[in-house]
Amino acid sequence: GQSLEQPSEVTAVEGAIVQINCTYQTSGFYGLSWYQQHDGGAPTFLSYNALDGLEETGRFSSFLSRSDSYGYLLLQELQMKDSASYFCAVREVGGQGFSFIFGKGTRLLVKP
Amino acid sequence: DSGVTQTPKHLITATGQRVTLRCSPRSGDLSVYWYQQSLDQGLQFLIQYYNGEERAKGNILERFSAQQFPDLHSELNLSSLELGDSALYFCASSVVQGSHNEQFFGPGTRLTVL
């Protein structure tokens, strides 16, 4: 069956770099997305990788290796406001058409 | 503000009851997605509509149903409610069908079943 694995929790200090990994097992892979969600808030889109390689958007970068079924989100120059949950997600093709599968999320705690 | 609106913000009801959650997508978006988020299950995809038609189905219970109207707003109907249905329900929208590069999420409806 389909699954996404990501660490449940990561802690880092302000100004540091942190990498959140995501491994997936799905059928009909259509790309890996990352979302950020602050406590009590809605998920917000961060990045999307359809092809292998690194995508950079400001302090955030996302990487995909389709051959390894693996991706990561890299957050640089961490700020306190980056404390949030981060979800990786894939679109998968199944018996009832396609579906969206989200990982259980990684809670990032940024300390001063 | 994503531009997606959801009402009500909070809903408290009893087991066995039926409720309707409403979502208005961003202007111009034809696709609407519904998700359920609970503490132990994470974010679960329920169903997707595109321009009024159902296009994808996830882990949606038979007690739940949804529709998208000609003005593109969508409603999620939850019936015979159980305690386990208590969760945050998100609606998201995107421009294209089956978009996975960016979905815009509404603020959510927190449902509490007592």
Side-chain angles (χ1 to χ4, degrees), chain A residues 26-49:
Chain A
T26 64
S27 57
F29 177 76
Y30 287 92
L32 184 71
S33 293
W34 289 92
Y35 286 80
Q36 178 194 59
Q37 185 179 28
H38 287 97
D39 285 347
T44 56
F45 173 81
L46 291 177
S47 69
Y48 171 70
N49 294 68

Side-chain angles (χ1 to χ4, degrees), chain A residues 2 30-33 35 37 40-48 87 89-92 96-105, chain B residues 33 35 37 40-45 48 54-59 88 90 97-108 110:
Chain A
Q2 68 275 10
Y30 287 92
L32 184 71
S33 293
Y35 286 80
Q37 185 179 28
T44 56
F45 173 81
L46 291 177
S47 69
Y48 171 70
F87 296 87
V90 298
R91 191 179 85 162
E92 180 190 63
Q96 297 195 67
F98 58 85
S99 182
F100 297 96
I101 313 297
F102 280 72
K104 291 195 179 297
Chain B
Y33 312 77
Y35 293 89
Q37 187 174 38
D40 57 344
Q41 292 295 321
L43 203 60
Q44 299 282 319
F45 168 68
Q48 184 228 345
E54 181 185 307
R55 287 306 174 102
K57 225 170 185 178
N59 299 319
L88 199 51
F90 287 106
Q97 177 186 206
S99 170
H100 199 42
N101 59 337
E102 187 163 14
Q103 295 181 21
F104 296 88
F105 281 74
R110 182 169 294 281

Side-chain angles (χ1 to χ4, degrees), chain A residues 9-70:
Chain A
E9 201 169 288
V10 173
T11 301
V13 297
E14 206 172 5
I17 299 173
V18 72
Q19 178 174 313
I20 299 174
N21 299 321
C22 175
T23 58
Y24 59 88
Q25 182 181 345
T26 64
S27 57
F29 177 76
Y30 287 92
L32 184 71
S33 293
W34 289 92
Y35 286 80
Q36 178 194 59
Q37 185 179 28
H38 287 97
D39 285 347
T44 56
F45 173 81
L46 291 177
S47 69
Y48 171 70
N49 294 68
L51 302 175
D52 291 353
L54 191 69
E55 295 280 343
E56 298 181 70
T57 309
R59 295 187 297 114
F60 293 2
S61 303
S62 57
F63 172 83
L64 175 65
S65 169
R66 289 174 296 169
S67 60
D68 296 322
S69 298
Y70 162 76

